[in-house]
Amino acid sequence: MTDVSADQIARELRLSPEQMLTLRALQARMLRHDWEQERKGDARKKKQDQLQRFVAAGIDEVLASDALAASLAEELTAFAHGHFLDQLNGLTTLAPILAEKVGTRSASVVILAELITFSPWSDGTTWCSGVRKTALHTAAQDLTALRSTDLDAMSTEFESLMKALRRKSIKWGRVAAVSVIGVGAGALTAGWAAAPIGAAIGGTMGLTGAAAVSAGLAMLGGGSLAAGGFGVAGGTLLLTGVGGLAGAGVAAAGVRYSPLGSQAIASEAVKLDLVARMVLADAPDRDEKMRRVVESLQERLNDVTNRIGLLVETINTLKQEKAATTAENTELRARVRDLEAELTETKQAQTTLELVRERLPEKIDA
């Protein structure tokens, strides 16, 4: 049996720049419909602000790719610096046109997984009644390479996962926020924008310059499932490791660590569950691919578990030091609070990985 590498699986599922633009256009259309349906003044203003940031960041993200077709790049550039509504109209007009051009089911399933798990609103705002469901059905119809049963199957699995997470007191909106441009951590899915993303996330660890870039990319893996971010080439988010998460390098006890890493792992694990069930299960070498996915999830679970052990040990040590000092108490209390917050997020990532690992079989019955 030929061994299947994580990098091979990542390459097969990676979205092209044009397909990434398709995803952003479909997401923007979902947000627009919800914003237009919102009747509460305060909530409508918050949604408009978030939508405006999302659209601007999404356009900039895709334009950062040198691989984008020249005609599309020119079209985007034409309205990139225009008024918000011009940007919004330009992007959402492209949604059905681009969606129809996604020729493979695997790419369509990856896009649909991103849309199903899309949880963009913050500040207490939520989807208007029925908008999300209607928008997903419209997107599934536009993605003509999908099977007629794909949306229902993926939605059912997602809801089942959400129920399991709620039983563990994990709120999906908090986890999913790291994948949303302009709302959470930024353009995590943009493999082409890896350096600025790495610098931004590395900065949350108290690092600057090249060290911040390296540390941020090591932690986040440089991209999400949609950008092939779990393969070696795209970073090492899920299938091939999470850099410093296991306690080495950037995640050492002496360096501040961002909880975004744990949230990103949990978010991408859920997406991977959906895609693995819909795409990998149909592959000719499906058993080998599923085995590789399950093994890699277990590796990530081991990493997260090790990180939890290190956090608990570090917190206990700092608490002992705090009790024995006076002048540094304020700084130590802040350090303990940061680590305890990270511990909470990391435990939630552990729980999410355990749920996904338990649900995905290593071998699929014919």
Side-chain angles (χ1 to χ4, degrees):
M1 182 181 293
T2 304
D3 184 59
V4 177
S5 69
D7 208 32
Q8 178 183 339
I9 299 173
R11 285 196 300 270
E12 291 176 5
L13 298 178
R14 180 183 175 89
L15 297 184
S16 68
E18 183 169 324
Q19 290 166 346
M20 188 67 76
L21 175 60
T22 304
L23 169 60
R24 294 309 180 211
L26 290 171
Q27 288 175 321
R29 189 175 67 179
M30 287 181 71
L31 298 181
R32 179 177 192 165
H33 288 169
D34 192 63
W35 167 56
E36 290 173 343
Q37 290 297 313
E38 183 60 65
R39 294 294 176 260
K40 296 179 181 178
D42 289 345
R44 183 177 175 85
K45 179 62 169 61
K46 290 178 181 178
K47 288 183 176 182
Q48 179 178 328
D49 291 343
Q50 290 174 295
L51 174 57
Q52 188 167 349
R53 292 197 301 272
F54 183 94
V55 169
I59 293 172
D60 289 343
E61 171 197 29
V62 178
L63 284 176
S65 170
D66 294 333
L68 187 66
S71 58
L72 267 179
E74 290 176 4
E75 190 168 357
L76 278 180
T77 303
F79 58 76
H81 302 294
H83 185 272
F84 158 57
L85 288 178
D86 293 331
Q87 293 179 335
L88 182 61
N89 289 333
L91 191 57
T92 55
T93 298
L94 288 174
I97 300 171
L98 293 175
E100 189 176 4
K101 293 181 180 179
V102 180
T104 64
R105 178 170 175 265
S106 60
S108 297
V109 166
V110 171
I111 292 172
L112 188 59
E114 292 282 348
L115 295 175
I116 289 173
T117 58
F118 192 38
S119 184
W121 302 131
S122 61
D123 299 326
T125 53
T126 58
W127 291 105
C128 293
S129 178
V131 170
R132 176 180 174 276
K133 183 176 181 179
T134 300
L136 287 175
H137 277 285
T138 302
Q141 291 173 351
D142 289 339
L143 292 164
T144 54
L146 289 174
R147 296 173 184 168
S148 60
T149 56
D150 282 342
L151 176 59
D152 286 342
M154 293 173 72
S155 295
T156 298
E157 171 62 13
F158 179 67
E159 289 305 318
S160 180
L161 269 170
M162 293 305 100
K163 288 180 181 178
L165 289 175
R166 285 194 293 270
R167 286 195 293 269
K168 302 290 185 179
S169 299
I170 295 176
K171 295 181 179 180
W172 173 247
R174 180 180 176 86
V175 172
V178 299
S179 296
V180 182
I181 294 181
V183 177
L188 296 186
T189 52
W192 331 289
I197 294 168
I201 302 305
T204 70
M205 303 176 197
L207 303 174
T208 58
V213 174
S214 298
L217 292 180
M219 184 185 73
L220 289 176
S224 78
L225 174 65
F230 57 88
V232 174
T236 50
L237 181 55
L238 270 177
L239 293 185
T240 56
V242 194
L245 190 62
V250 300
V255 178
R256 284 192 292 118
Y257 175 81
S258 172
L260 289 174
S262 296
Q263 293 172 6
I265 295 166
S267 175
E268 296 308 315
V270 170
K271 296 172 190 175
L272 184 59
D273 171 271
L274 300 179
V275 173
R277 289 177 181 277
M278 305 307 297
V279 176
L280 301 186
D282 282 347
D285 49 357
R286 62 184 187 180
D287 288 343
E288 178 66 9
K289 286 184 176 179
M290 290 297 286
R291 179 191 65 80
R292 177 57 181 148
V293 167
V294 171
E295 287 179 353
S296 299
L297 283 169
Q298 184 61 52
E299 292 170 9
R300 302 294 64 73
L301 180 56
N302 293 341
D303 288 346
V304 169
T305 301
N306 290 339
R307 179 64 187 171
I308 288 174
L310 176 62
L311 283 168
V312 171
E313 180 181 348
T314 305
I315 289 171
N316 289 337
T317 299
L318 288 176
K319 285 183 176 179
Q320 291 173 2
E321 292 178 3
K322 185 180 73 172
T325 60
T326 54
E328 297 179 353
N329 269 358
T330 300
E331 181 179 347
L332 285 173
R333 279 197 297 270
R335 173 71 173 142
V336 169
R337 284 197 300 270
D338 289 345
L339 288 173
E340 287 177 337
E342 182 194 339
L343 179 60
T344 299
E345 301 293 349
T346 308
K347 284 182 176 179
Q348 291 190 349
Q350 179 188 44
T351 300
T352 304
L353 284 168
E354 287 173 345
L355 286 172
V356 174
R357 167 63 185 85
E358 290 168 1
R359 296 171 71 87
L360 279 179
E362 293 191 44
K363 186 174 181 180
I364 301 174
D365 295 331

